[in-house]
Amino acid sequence: MTLASEPKTRPLGVSGKKYPFALRVALPVVLAVLAAAAIFHSFLFWSMRSIDAVSVERQRDLALVVIGQLRTSVAHDQESATVWDDAVLALQRGADPDWVNDNLGGWMYTFFRHNGVVILSPSDQPLYAYENDAAVPVETYGDLRPLVAPMLAELRRKMRWGDPQTIDEHFRTPGVSDLVMVRGRPAVVSLKPVVSESGKVKQTRGREFVHLAVRYLDGDFLDDLSKRYLFSDLRFSRQGETAKNQDKLPLVNAQGNVLGYFVWSPYLPGRDFLVSIKPVLVVSFLVLLGCVGAFLAFWRRNEKTRQEHERHIHYLAHVDSLTGLLNRPSFERELDDTLSVFHEEVARGAVIYLDLDRFKDVNDTLGHAAGDQVVREVAQRLSSLQKKGTGVFRVGGDEFVLLVPHCDAVGAAAICSRILRLLHAPFLVRGARVHLGGSIGVALFPEHGSTASELMRRADVALYEAKTAGRNRFAVFDVDMDAVLRERAHLEQDLRAALVDGREIALHYQPKYHAADFSLAAVEVLVRWQRPGYGWVSPAQFIPAAEASGAILPLGHRVLEEACRVARDWPLESVAVNVSAVQLRNPGFAEEVRQILRDTGMPAHRLELEVTETSWLDETGNSLDNIRALREEGIRIALDDFGTGFSSFGRLLEADVDRIKIDQSFIRGIGDFPGDMAIVKAIVDLARVKNLQVTAEGVETGRVAELLAEIGCDELQGYFFSQPLPEADFVALLQKPAMPRAAVE
């Protein structure tokens, strides 16, 4: 039922008791304004502090960048004199100190402001020393020697063995630089080798002359940093003592040792801005109070409009935004109202509960946007069934309910048939034709209940019956359906008890044969259950119950562990075990399998896990993660029942598996129906392109076995060869000679 008009409800938030306007409106508003002003000021102060913190951090980063640039520039400056044939030759010949001063020493101060230069011999002995632009005795190098010894050793290593990472577009030779305290002053110390520019001057690698440059970080460097980058009151401090509103930056060398600190008064734009806008804030607050007064003056006039808006919001809360249909709360209210009226009139009606079939496949393969489009179109089709008094509701993702008054079982059946015909028509989604269908459960009132909870539960029971019977159909509730649900509950209870007892669960083994010569190749392990009082229960009956109840996890663990233990020493290529999609969705499944292999001693390459296509329809991604992890261990993965799922050929191109098993529904028609032969051959050809092995299951005659071998199947399985056998019978089969293919008629 679409919503024709907004519900007439009492406006939300309007009290029936009258209070003075000052207490009911004015006081809360004034308090709210004051609270807002306090919050605003708190936020403003916090913002300004945050801005100041960012500013300080940027100044720190800037100082670090400048220091880094200084280290780079010192090394770059050195290369202007150290990569030079004449310098190498002059030093090798024992150059005149004046020549060295003019070209390698004082010249570095004159042009680059290097505060000190020392020329070291190939044996690391000081040959020349300069401070600023004047030569000094080499003995002055003595206090610097232990500080640069590790750097000098590193440079020798780089020159001896080569270190291409130290050379880029900025540098032509390797070098080593670091922050060092030189005679109580912080400095950048850089070492560069004196090398031949042309490469024609003979030098021994690692025994070159070394040019050592010193650039102090206090004095003129601090003055330049202060003027160029506006660092106020910038100074160097060994201990890092600071005054109020000052900040500091540690100078850390390559070994992580703090040499001292740069201390300065940082620029605080937030604080300055806050001081400048104080008058504006005061005026703004006064203006705000005036606005509040005007707002209160117009409050009563606007109150009616507000109430109308609230009614509209209340109306929207009862409508499904995707389809425009009324939602679950509206359905529950409508059903309660209908039942109360119908109870007085002793009339009849029906609750029709619809669930789309295979809708999850649409979301998983085409995306949720495509699923939304399908839901909208379903809503439009169902709305065409509306008559006077009939309601259509969306109560879940792909679930809809029709509430039909004055309707008996015959009328409900007619409506359900019309719904199924409407859903039979394909849906055009993103250029693709999608076929869905639906399952429908019907509960009639007053026959099946007189309350909303009773009717919905029994409609849900009937819906489950329709799905169990094969989907794309409807079912009307009867008392036997409750009995079916009770039996299912008993089945799940007995199955859990069987897992605890252990004697009722048994494994059977069905052999698989090479198609080429009909020799025994592998075995598939199948679980069987002998339920007390019922005999052997079909896996098609108890496996879905185990999956729905969660018992599949302990059951699957037991089957896999026993199969690996029993079949470990059998002379077979592989042992195949079926794995439920529920097991694969468990994040710890791959580790569980690894532990079983460790405990039983089964080699990973001999274990093959058979999974169905639903394993790929897992939004959590756990299934695919488990499959990838298992394959990395060497465990083989087989895609079971291939050809019966959703978009199987497309899935084959994406699936990360080693083998596919063609479903027996295609195998039975081989030789009688050309279409089945063509489908099987197409699957085999596609598997060959993907380099996958192919197993055909359900082989019941020798003629079918021969045909499957001819079209390229690798393995054959079916009653023609053997039915599933208990362990003792299968062990006896292993002792028999192989079936000769020539014996097949």
Side-chain angles (χ1 to χ4, degrees):
M1 176 185 295
T2 54
L3 199 59
S5 59
E6 298 185 9
K8 295 181 179 179
T9 60
R10 184 178 184 176
L12 300 179
V14 178
S15 173
K17 188 175 181 179
K18 299 298 182 181
Y19 290 97
F21 182 80
L23 293 178
R24 184 166 58 91
V25 178
L27 181 60
V29 170
V30 171
L31 292 177
V33 170
L34 293 176
I39 293 172
F40 171 76
H41 280 79
S42 299
F43 173 77
L44 185 61
F45 279 103
W46 173 82
S47 299
M48 296 303 102
R49 287 182 176 272
S50 299
I51 292 172
D52 289 342
V54 171
S55 176
V56 171
E57 190 63 29
R58 287 180 177 175
Q59 291 177 71
R60 292 177 182 172
D61 292 341
L62 178 59
L64 289 174
V65 169
V66 172
I67 294 172
Q69 290 175 343
L70 178 63
R71 293 176 63 175
T72 301
S73 66
V74 169
H76 188 270
D77 296 342
Q78 286 177 280
E79 287 191 348
S80 65
T82 58
V83 184
W84 187 18
D85 288 4
D86 290 348
V88 176
L89 292 172
L91 293 175
Q92 288 178 346
R93 297 167 184 165
D96 177 77
D98 292 335
W99 186 94
V100 176
N101 184 44
D102 292 339
N103 294 278
L104 299 175
W107 180 81
M108 304 301 289
Y109 174 78
T110 303
F111 285 88
F112 303 117
R113 308 301 294 174
H114 291 191
N115 301 105
V117 172
V118 179
I119 306 298
L120 301 176
S121 71
S123 59
D124 299 338
Q125 297 302 315
L127 300 177
Y128 308 90
Y130 303 88
E131 285 188 0
N132 296 334
D133 57 349
V136 295
V138 295
E139 289 76 16
T140 59
Y141 172 75
D143 58 349
L144 192 58
R145 180 190 296 268
L147 300 177
V148 301
M151 301 168 59
L152 184 57
E154 175 66 11
L155 179 62
R156 295 294 187 196
R157 185 195 65 79
K158 291 182 178 181
M159 295 302 298
R160 186 177 303 111
W161 300 109
D163 191 1
Q165 293 183 350
T166 63
I167 304 176
D168 55 22
E169 67 270 20
H170 300 293
F171 297 108
R172 301 162 64 186
T173 61
V176 177
S177 66
D178 200 359
L179 301 182
V180 179
M181 290 299 295
V182 179
R183 303 185 185 94
R185 300 177 65 184
V188 171
V189 175
S190 176
L191 280 71
K192 278 285 187 175
V194 182
V195 297
S196 170
E197 181 178 15
S198 65
K200 297 179 180 180
V201 180
K202 185 177 180 181
Q203 293 177 280
T204 301
R205 295 175 63 87
R207 292 188 59 79
E208 298 85 352
F209 290 88
V210 174
H211 186 278
L212 183 154
V214 178
R215 177 72 161 90
Y216 291 120
L217 295 180
D218 56 4
D220 60 350
F221 173 77
L222 288 186
D223 294 339
D224 183 68
L225 187 61
S226 298
K227 294 175 182 177
R228 182 174 298 181
Y229 300 104
L230 303 179
F231 281 80
S232 178
D233 303 325
L234 182 62
R235 61 186 172 85
F236 173 77
S237 170
R238 290 297 299 271
Q239 303 302 323
E241 64 277 8
T242 59
K244 185 179 180 181
N245 295 327
Q246 284 191 328
D247 197 41
K248 61 183 179 181
L249 174 71
L251 298 180
V252 183
N253 63 11
Q255 290 73 40
N257 299 321
V258 177
L259 306 182
Y261 301 84
F262 281 168
V263 180
W264 76 98
S265 299
Y267 171 57
L268 302 176
R271 182 191 61 185
D272 296 342
F273 175 76
L274 191 60
V275 171
S276 66
I277 66 169
K278 275 187 177 180
V280 177
L281 291 177
V282 173
V283 173
S284 299
F285 182 72
L286 295 176
V287 171
L288 178 62
L289 290 179
C291 292
V292 169
F295 169 77
L296 294 175
F298 288 100
W299 174 270
R300 295 194 181 192
R301 190 186 68 180
N302 296 333
E303 192 172 42
K304 184 177 180 180
T305 302
R306 179 178 59 83
Q307 293 173 357
E308 292 295 331
H309 288 166
E310 289 176 347
R311 274 197 293 267
H312 182 62
I313 293 172
H314 179 72
Y315 157 74
L316 294 177
H318 290 76
V319 177
D320 175 53
S321 60
L322 180 62
T323 62
L325 299 177
L326 288 173
N327 56 18
R328 179 180 286 274
S330 297
F331 163 71
E332 293 171 349
R333 186 189 66 232
E334 191 78 15
L335 180 57
D336 286 336
D337 293 345
T338 300
L339 290 175
S340 63
V341 173
F342 277 39
H343 179 71
E344 298 173 359
E345 298 179 359
V346 195
R348 302 168 60 85
V351 173
I352 299 175
Y353 195 177
L354 165 67
D355 183 63
L356 300 180
D357 294 336
R358 301 174 68 193
F359 177 73
K360 185 176 185 299
D361 293 343
V362 176
N363 276 336
D364 290 337
T365 56
L366 300 178
H368 289 280
D372 290 345
Q373 182 179 341
V374 169
V375 169
R376 283 192 293 267
E377 187 167 344
V378 170
Q380 293 174 0
R381 296 184 186 185
L382 294 178
S383 296
S384 66
L385 299 175
Q386 283 188 280
K387 295 181 179 179
K388 184 177 181 180
T390 301
V392 180
F393 306 82
R394 184 189 180 206
V395 296
D398 61 335
E399 299 175 349
F400 299 83
V401 173
L402 276 72
L403 179 58
V404 187
H406 310 292
C407 179
D408 56 12
V410 175
I415 294 174
C416 291
S417 297
R418 289 185 61 190
I419 293 174
L420 293 177
R421 286 196 299 272
L422 288 174
L423 297 179
H424 180 73
F427 296 83
L428 186 62
V429 181
R430 296 183 178 178
R433 296 168 67 86
V434 175
H435 295 270
L436 291 179
S439 300
I440 304 174
V442 179
L444 303 173
F445 54 88
E447 294 97 318
H448 301 147
S450 57
T451 65
S453 59
E454 284 181 319
L455 289 171
M456 280 303 295
R457 186 185 71 82
R458 288 173 176 173
D460 190 28
V461 170
L463 174 63
Y464 174 78
E465 176 67 20
K467 285 186 175 293
T468 304
R471 301 176 183 268
N472 199 33
R473 62 193 64 209
F474 70 89
V476 179
F477 175 81
D478 63 46
V479 292
D480 291 338
M481 293 180 184
D482 268 340
V484 171
L485 287 183
R486 286 193 295 272
E487 169 56 26
R488 175 172 176 171
H490 292 156
L491 178 74
E492 294 176 357
Q493 183 178 0
D494 289 349
L495 179 58
R496 291 187 179 276
L499 289 172
V500 174
D501 180 82
R503 291 175 294 180
E504 301 170 14
I505 304 296
L507 299 187
H508 283 196
Y509 304 86
Q510 186 172 24
K512 299 192 290 184
Y513 291 82
H514 288 297
D517 56 7
F518 291 177
S519 61
L520 185 57
V523 65
E524 179 180 0
V525 182
L526 303 169
V527 63
R528 296 292 185 261
W529 176 29
Q530 191 170 30
R531 185 182 180 191
Y534 294 87
W536 292 104
V537 181
S538 168
Q541 182 178 1
F542 74 81
I543 291 297
E547 290 180 328
S549 65
I552 192 65
L553 297 179
L555 176 62
H557 182 94
R558 174 178 174 176
V559 170
L560 182 59
E561 185 176 43
E562 185 173 346
C564 291
R565 178 181 54 79
V566 170
R568 178 190 60 194
D569 299 324
W570 287 350
L572 299 172
E573 295 176 6
S574 64
V575 177
V577 181
N578 290 280
V579 174
S580 166
V582 177
Q583 291 175 270
L584 277 173
R585 284 194 289 269
N586 178 9
F589 178 69
E591 181 55 34
E592 177 184 344
V593 175
R594 293 191 193 101
Q595 187 60 47
I596 289 175
L597 294 179
R598 289 192 290 266
D599 293 342
T600 61
M602 167 68 81
H605 70 274
R606 291 188 57 226
L607 177 62
E608 183 172 278
L609 300 181
E610 296 187 3
V611 302
T612 61
E613 292 183 56
T614 55
S615 301
W616 274 263
L617 305 179
D618 176 17
E619 294 182 354
T620 67
N622 292 336
S623 295
L624 295 182
D625 291 342
N626 279 322
I627 288 174
R628 281 192 288 267
L630 292 169
R631 294 194 78 218
E632 289 174 359
E633 289 289 322
I635 299 168
R636 289 182 279 186
I637 305 296
L639 184 58
D640 199 11
D641 299 332
F642 183 78
T644 61
F646 187 81
S647 184
S648 295
F649 282 95
R651 187 68 62 200
L652 179 58
L653 294 174
E654 301 172 1
D656 192 14
V657 299
D658 302 282
R659 178 186 302 277
I660 60 172
K661 295 188 68 177
I662 304 176
D663 188 72
Q664 58 185 342
S665 61
F666 295 104
I667 303 303
R668 293 196 184 103
I670 294 282
D672 297 325
F673 301 99
D676 285 352
M677 173 68 85
I679 291 174
V680 173
K681 190 174 187 310
I683 294 174
V684 172
D685 291 342
L686 186 57
R688 288 290 172 264
V689 173
K690 292 282 292 179
N691 196 27
L692 303 178
Q693 297 288 306
V694 179
T695 298
E697 54 185 355
V699 180
E700 297 183 355
T701 66
R703 178 168 173 265
V704 170
E706 287 289 348
L707 291 174
L708 291 170
E710 290 175 6
I711 65 175
C713 287
D714 300 290
E715 286 184 352
L716 305 177
Q717 181 182 10
Y719 280 17
F720 170 71
F721 297 99
S722 173
Q723 63 182 358
L725 302 171
E727 179 183 345
D729 294 344
F730 186 79
V731 171
L733 177 65
L734 290 174
Q735 312 304 320
K736 295 181 180 180
M739 176 190 300
R741 179 172 176 180
V744 178
E745 296 181 358

